[in-house]
Structure formats: structure tokens, C-alpha cells
Amino acid sequence: MMLRFDRVIATGSAALDSGIRDTALKTFNGATYLYSLTGPGGGIAVWRLVDGALPQLVDTEYFSGTIAFQVGDIGVPISVGGTNQLVLDVDTANGLVGYILNPDGTVGSLRETGTLTGGGDISALVELSTGSGRFLMMSHEDTDRIVTYRVNGDGSLTSSGVVLAEADSMQGLRIGADNFVIATDGTRNTVATYRVDGSSGAITVVDNSEALSTLGIAVPTAVEVIQAYGRSWVVIAGAQSNSLSVMEMGSDGRLIPTDHVLDSLHTRFESVQDLSVVQVDGRVFVVAGGGDDGITLFTMTPSGQLVYLDSFADTLQSGLQNVETFSVAHVGDELQILVASQQDAGLTQLTVDVSDMGVVRSGFGTVNGTGGDDMLSGSILPTALVGGAGEDILIAGQAATTMTGGAGADIFVMQYKTEPVTITDFQAGVDRLDLFDYPLLRTPAQLTFTPTAQGARIEYLNETINVMSASGGSLSSTQVFGAGFGGPDHIPVDFGDFGGLDPGSSDGVQGAVSLNSETANASLTDAEIRFTPTGGATITARADSNGRFDLDLPSGSFEGEFDVIKSYSTASKDINALDALQVLRIAVGLDPTWGPASPENLIAADINRDGTVNALDALSILQLAVGQPTAAQPEWVFIDSNADLSGITRNNVSYDTGVDVTAVDGVITVDMTSILLGNLEGP
């Protein structure tokens, strides 16, 4: 998919064409209208968007009277008291100020509500719909407060909740009965999550600091949300970090990072100022632009990764110097992107042809596409992806994947930590190989590239891709990658799984534990979770500080083995000299001080895991207790709670970790026994 420049549109009035600060979209009777707003002394221009044609100017409105030189940077369409309004940021207003929007898209009279708690000088606003009514949530610049207001039937507003904070961009998501708002503040360099009570409008802060801490978002300038692929998503732009971050939002408001990309020489979102997320026939597209004079287009996969599609750089004909704001609308068979610049007058129109959208499918066995532009994903079991005609995106699963793109310019997307992938029909100079999920990969020179009789074999960090040429014969690196990789740089979002690092150490829970992938699990803090379906590839996930984990499994029932890898935290001091004494007693044939040793005691005593309890185990535990280095490293082991341990003796400590489970629609529940090697507990 390509970005196509159409032309620059303008009203012919400098007051309406220069210094456009915000754009907004609103649909009336099936027609989509774009509202562009300039600053003090300016006004509003209204454009009707038309499929396959240039936008039509339908109205203009100049700011006048008391607001003419008090208007700020935002314009947000809302519905209040049965009327549609375009709300403005007015510095000296006491209430909420906005223009009525007529059913034909034109601008009506100016209206102001009653006095608001924080006045009408607002920096961000979002409209929320709940089971008991509607709320507006606003950030008030004069009072440094974010306030929710209940929208009454007569259009009046009643203050409901308040939190001491500010925001310059806010978006809301309704998940079940709850509303969540993501707010960014570029001045204070913050990203906050709020839960808004559906009945009272009360605001509660959701702590997402753990998820955000590793992303490195600097000076957030825009946030967008969307519900797609059966999930809720948040995308945040960082101007100083030149980044776009994608996160999944859980039903409790918890954010889980899924991708983080940085602008490169091939993309155009450095100093990103605005972004937009739109869904077309089940596919999600992300558009970003900022200070390097252009626009970049991505699509988002069902797992929350951005696949680069195209960039458009400013030309002598376009007006994209230092992009300020833009809006993206799905109109007929097009995505229409209307862009305002900090330097150039008017709006630059770019379009993307979406007339041939195919399907979004995932699975195992054989997954077939259509004659359109499909997005097909592999799974945890061996899969064959068959794109057919169209410009398809084929995404490798965790298990062995065979990809056949068919006709059209296809993109083959690799995933890190997967079994070998085979591409059967790579068209040199037409198809593209996307390897950006591979950590620290920045250039084809880092790959082990071996031409073969039928194409090439590519290897990197134990990953293997067999590429077969559509035309037959050998392939060179230049034929596959051209002058190098295009697109942005992807940064790992889970450093716990990066580069073979061990799981983070933490306290745990010793003894019987019941684990559930849908809830918090105190015993799993910072652990690595593994699930290997029968006949498939091992899936791993990192549990968070509450022991929550998501293996991102597909729907259906999958039998397999579940295991946990968890390190010991020396800070807990659970292992001490008394443990060494108990092990020494067992090693010489005595019982521990409390009586006969249980099988679980013997497992814990065999810290070096050589199958016997002996003096070397006691020595290792004593060294550990006093802070001396030891070759036997303690760890938590998790075994089947129903395992038969009756055959374990001090001379035969034999057991298997993990447990056989059945994952049902992505949910795993299992009872296990958690044992800390080196830590002996009484009966």
C-alpha cells in the first residue's frame, strides 16, 4: 500500500489557511466533514470529504467577539443536550465554549455552558459513554486539574470527579462496564491511565509505571486508542524520543507493551507531533507525522506490532514542512489524510487505496487468503500460509511456518524465537522480508546469508529462514534486501526475554499453588512462563510484579506442557545456615530436626540437582547463606501437584518439573507445588 499525493487544498483566506493548529472529523448522515482550526484572529474551515475526489469547501467561520484572540489549540466534536458542538479552548471563558454543528456539516451559533469548576481554558477533552449516562473529562490549564462532568439531559454539566494533573492529549476506551482514559502531558513528560466510574464519574489512577518504564517515551505529543482484533489498544507518540509505542490494555486498565519503534532514515516521524489510528474492514492502520517533513503509514498486526508500509516526504508541490496536525478518514475506497503544516498554508491531501481489502486470519494447518490484500498469521502449531492474489502480509507463527505469497507485492514478517520458516515464492524486487522483530538487527550485514540452488538460507540468533525464489535459481542478499532494510527501528519491549537473560529474581510462595492465566499469581512474580503444545513450538511469557502473565494463545483447546522458570532473590534471606544444617543431617542418614524428610524436603535439599543429597549440597547452601560464591545456584522449581514422589529417597532425588495441561481459549489453570531449592521447610 502506498501513500499518494493528490494536492494542497485551501480556502484562499490567509486567516483560515495559515497556522492551522488542529483538525477534527465528524460524520453527518453518512457524509464525513473535516474541520480545520487556526489560532487567534483566525477561524474554522469546513470540508466535505468525497470518495475519489478532492474535498469540497462547505463553510467558513471567523472567530469574533470576545473569543477572537482567546482561542487556543484544540477543537473537539462532542454531543451535549441533543446538539453537536465543536468545543474550543478559550482562555478567558468560564464555561465550555463551542460552535453548534449543523446536520449539513456547517457551523452554527456560538454557545457557552454554565460555569465549570476549572473554567473554559482547557488543554484536552474526551467524551465518555457509560451504562448510566455520558461524561466529559477535561484538563483545565488554570487549575492543573483533570475533572469529569456528568452531561445532563438539558445540556448542563455537573462536576463529578477530580484529580490533580494536567494533559494535552486524552483518549478514552470503554472495556466492559468500565471507562479508561489515557492522558499524556508533553510539558511534564508524563503518561497516565485513569479509570472513570461509570455511575459516579469518580476518577481512579491506574498504576502503569512498570509497563511504561522501559519504553523510553520522551515528550509524549499524541495518544490514540482503538478496539480491534478482539482487544483494546493504545498508541502513544513521543516527540523527543522520535517513537511510536503500542500497548494492549487489559480489562483492568493494565497496559502491556507490544511494540516500540523509532524513526529512521527511511521513515518520516522524527519529532512526531500527531498520529491517527483507523480501522478498515478489520485491518488497523497507523499514520504518524512530525518535524521531518512527511507522513509514515503502518499497519498493525493482531499481536500489536507495527508493520511498515510507506512514507511520503515533502515535495515542492506538497505542504508538509514540520507537520503540525492531521486527520485520517475512511471514505469509500480510500483513506484520506488531510495534513496541516507549521510552515505551509492549506491542507495537503494524501490518499491510500483500500479498495482491495482482504481478510485477517490466523490459525494452524493451512490458512488461505483471498484475492484481496490479506493479513495471515501462523500459530503455535505448524502452519502453511497461502496468500493468493493481492498485496498480502504473512506473519510467521511460533511453530514451523511455510509461506506462499502468490501474486502481488507481499510482505513476509518474521517473529523472534520461532521454528524455521520457509518462503516458497519470493519475488525479488517485489516482495519484502520484514525481520524487525529480531533484536538488535539493523543491517543485512549482521545476517548469515547463504545462497542456495533454489534461493537462499538466512540465519540470525538461531533463527532460520529458507527463501525460495519464485523465478527459480539462487538469490543474493541484494536481491532480497536491496540496499538495506527499510522502515523504522524496533526496540524490544520485554528485556527479560532479550538476549538470553535469566528471569529476574524475586520472592515466591513455597508449597501448593493454584495458577491461573487470568489472575494475579503471587508465586510467579518475574518468572518466565513456558507452554509447549503437543507437536508445536514453545511459547514463553514474562510474569509481571503481580505474577500476571499472558501467553497470547489462540482460541480452541491445546494440550501441552506448562513449566515455570523462576530465580531466587537473595534479598529474601529464605536460605540460611539452618537449611545447611538440615541438609547435612539428611546427608549422613539423620532426619531433619522436625522428623522424617518429605519428598519435597529431599528435592529442596538437592540444590546441585545431581540426584543425591550429600555434603556438597550442605556446603553450597552454607556458602550461599553467608554470601560466598557457589556453583550450585538456587532456584524455584514447579512440579505437578499430583506427581507421584513416593520413590524419592536421599540417594534417588528424581523428578520432572512442569505439568501437562489443556489450554482452553487461551486460559490455563493448574495446581502445582512450588519448591525453593536450598530452602527446607518443616512438615
Side-chain angles (χ1 to χ4, degrees):
M1 293 183 177
M2 304 286 290
L3 290 161
R4 184 189 73 217
F5 168 67
D6 290 331
R7 64 165 294 175
V8 175
I9 60 172
T11 66
S13 167
L16 301 178
D17 295 331
S18 297
I20 295 174
R21 299 188 177 190
D22 200 7
T23 59
L25 296 169
K26 184 68 178 176
T27 299
F28 292 103
N29 302 317
T32 301
Y33 297 87
L34 179 130
Y35 299 84
S36 63
L37 296 84
T38 52
I44 304 169
V46 186
W47 302 87
R48 185 176 185 271
L49 306 185
V50 182
D51 182 21
L54 295 175
Q56 300 172 352
L57 182 65
V58 297
D59 195 14
T60 58
E61 179 74 27
Y62 292 91
F63 300 136
S64 60
T66 57
I67 75 165
F69 293 95
Q70 303 298 322
V71 176
D73 295 339
I74 66 170
V76 183
I78 66 168
S79 179
V80 176
T83 64
N84 291 291
Q85 297 184 28
L86 185 66
V87 170
L88 307 176
D89 166 23
V90 178
D91 184 46
T92 56
N94 294 316
L96 195 64
V97 176
Y99 282 98
I100 298 295
L101 298 180
N102 299 317
D104 61 357
T106 58
V107 177
S109 59
L110 191 65
R111 175 177 295 184
E112 182 174 3
T113 68
T115 301
L116 298 179
T117 300
D121 187 8
I122 59 175
S123 55
L125 180 149
V126 64
E127 189 173 12
L128 304 173
S129 176
T130 73
S132 63
R134 294 173 50 256
F135 291 88
L136 297 180
M137 189 170 183
M138 308 178 203
S139 176
H140 293 285
E141 293 186 79
D142 288 341
T143 60
D144 294 339
R145 284 174 168 81
I146 294 176
V147 183
T148 53
Y149 297 88
R150 180 180 294 278
V151 180
N152 302 313
D154 60 359
S156 62
L157 303 177
T158 303
S159 177
S160 302
V162 61
V163 62
L164 293 174
E166 277 199 60
D168 46 36
S169 180
M170 293 196 302
Q171 295 290 343
L173 279 168
R174 183 175 178 181
I175 304 177
D178 294 322
N179 278 269
F180 296 95
V181 172
I182 304 294
T184 66
D185 185 347
T187 302
R188 293 163 182 79
N189 200 30
T190 60
V191 177
T193 309
Y194 303 107
R195 178 186 179 275
V196 179
D197 185 271
S199 298
S200 67
I203 304 171
T204 305
V205 177
V206 179
D207 183 8
N208 274 311
S209 56
E210 181 179 357
L212 294 166
S213 60
T214 61
L215 290 180
I217 303 171
V219 188
T221 48
V223 57
E224 291 291 337
V225 298
I226 196 166
Q227 290 176 311
Y229 310 134
R231 305 179 184 182
S232 300
W233 304 96
V234 176
V235 186
I236 297 176
Q240 189 169 304
S241 51
N242 307 314
S243 65
L244 301 175
S245 302
V246 184
M247 290 166 279
E248 181 185 354
M249 176 176 279
S251 58
D252 56 358
R254 188 170 53 102
L255 294 177
I256 305 170
T258 58
D259 204 1
H260 183 74
V261 300
L262 304 180
D263 179 65
S264 69
L265 293 175
H266 309 284
T267 55
R268 291 281 170 170
F269 60 94
E270 181 183 359
S271 302
V272 57
Q273 295 300 306
D274 202 3
L275 69 93
S276 182
V277 180
V278 62
Q279 189 169 185
V280 180
D281 296 337
R283 282 275 295 278
V284 175
F285 295 92
V286 177
V287 183
D292 58 350
D293 308 340
I295 290 291
T296 298
L297 173 68
F298 300 90
T299 190
M300 191 176 83
T301 72
S303 60
Q305 289 182 304
L306 296 177
V307 176
Y308 172 71
L309 296 178
D310 194 22
S311 289
F312 184 89
D314 192 25
T315 67
L316 293 176
Q317 290 74 38
S318 62
L320 299 176
Q321 292 188 74
N322 293 334
V323 169
E324 173 71 15
T325 183
F326 60 84
S327 290
V328 181
H330 178 204
V331 183
D333 290 334
E334 297 176 336
L335 284 182
Q336 295 189 2
I337 308 169
L338 283 301
V339 188
S341 158
Q342 295 179 11
Q343 272 76 39
D344 301 313
L347 294 166
T348 295
Q349 183 184 30
L350 304 173
T351 58
V352 179
D353 183 2
V354 292
S355 61
D356 207 17
M357 284 288 95
V359 297
V360 177
R361 287 177 181 160
S362 63
F364 51 90
T366 299
V367 180
N368 290 304
T370 67
D373 301 337
D374 305 307
M375 179 182 286
L376 309 179
S377 304
S379 186
I380 59 178
L381 297 177
T383 308
L385 305 177
V386 183
E391 298 181 353
D392 304 311
I393 297 176
L394 307 183
I395 305 167
Q398 294 89 349
T401 308
T402 301
M403 301 178 170
T404 302
D410 304 310
I411 302 175
F412 301 97
V413 181
M414 301 300 110
Q415 299 289 297
Y416 182 48
K417 290 190 176 179
T418 62
E419 294 184 357
V421 174
T422 300
I423 299 171
T424 67
D425 62 342
F426 186 83
Q427 303 174 80
V430 178
D431 294 338
R432 177 157 61 89
L433 200 55
D434 188 327
L435 308 180
F436 279 106
D437 196 48
Y438 291 174
L440 293 182
L441 181 61
R442 297 292 178 262
T443 168
Q446 296 172 257
L447 302 169
T448 300
F449 191 100
T450 306
T452 64
Q454 295 178 308
R457 183 175 65 256
I458 303 170
E459 296 169 294
Y460 182 76
L461 294 180
N462 298 319
E463 307 287 315
T464 301
I465 310 167
N466 295 301
V467 183
M468 301 169 66
S469 171
S471 58
S474 181
L475 289 168
S476 67
S477 178
T478 301
Q479 286 176 300
V480 175
F481 298 111
F485 298 144
D489 291 332
H490 289 243
I491 305 300
V493 295
D494 184 356
F495 287 93
D497 290 331
F498 174 63
L501 296 179
D502 290 332
S505 62
S506 60
D507 294 342
V509 176
Q510 186 137 309
V513 292
S514 294
L515 309 179
N516 190 317
S517 60
E518 292 187 306
T519 64
N521 302 276
S523 59
L524 296 187
T525 301
D526 297 326
E528 180 181 291
I529 313 301
R530 296 179 180 176
F531 175 65
T532 306
T534 303
T538 299
I539 313 303
T540 63
R542 176 77 58 213
D544 65 14
S545 59
N546 295 312
R548 295 178 181 271
F549 64 94
D550 182 5
L551 288 161
D552 196 23
L553 299 175
S555 298
S557 296
F558 298 93
E559 295 181 351
E561 183 179 357
F562 179 88
D563 205 354
V564 178
I565 310 298
K566 181 175 170 62
S567 297
Y568 164 67
S569 172
T570 56
S572 68
K573 298 183 179 179
D574 287 332
I575 299 176
N576 52 49
L578 181 58
D579 292 306
L581 173 62
Q582 305 290 8
V583 172
L584 188 59
R585 290 176 63 90
I586 295 172
V588 298
L590 299 176
D591 289 335
T593 56
W594 59 77
S598 68
E600 290 81 6
N601 294 149
L602 297 175
I603 291 173
D606 183 22
I607 190 172
N608 62 15
R609 304 183 78 167
D610 65 356
T612 64
V613 180
N614 53 49
L616 292 177
D617 293 308
L619 176 61
S620 294
I621 294 173
L622 184 60
Q623 289 173 323
L624 182 71
V626 298
Q628 295 297 313
T630 175
Q633 292 301 312
E635 63 179 298
W636 293 88
V637 296
F638 291 76
I639 61 177
D640 188 345
S641 62
N642 295 316
D644 182 5
L645 305 179
S646 60
I648 293 180
T649 68
R650 69 183 178 92
N651 295 315
N652 179 32
V653 183
S654 176
Y655 59 94
D656 293 320
T657 62
V659 59
D660 292 333
V661 300
T662 299
V664 180
D665 293 336
V667 178
I668 292 177
T669 57
V670 61
D671 293 327
M672 304 186 79
T673 301
S674 174
I675 301 172
L676 175 58
L677 300 185
N679 179 217
L680 274 71
E681 298 286 344

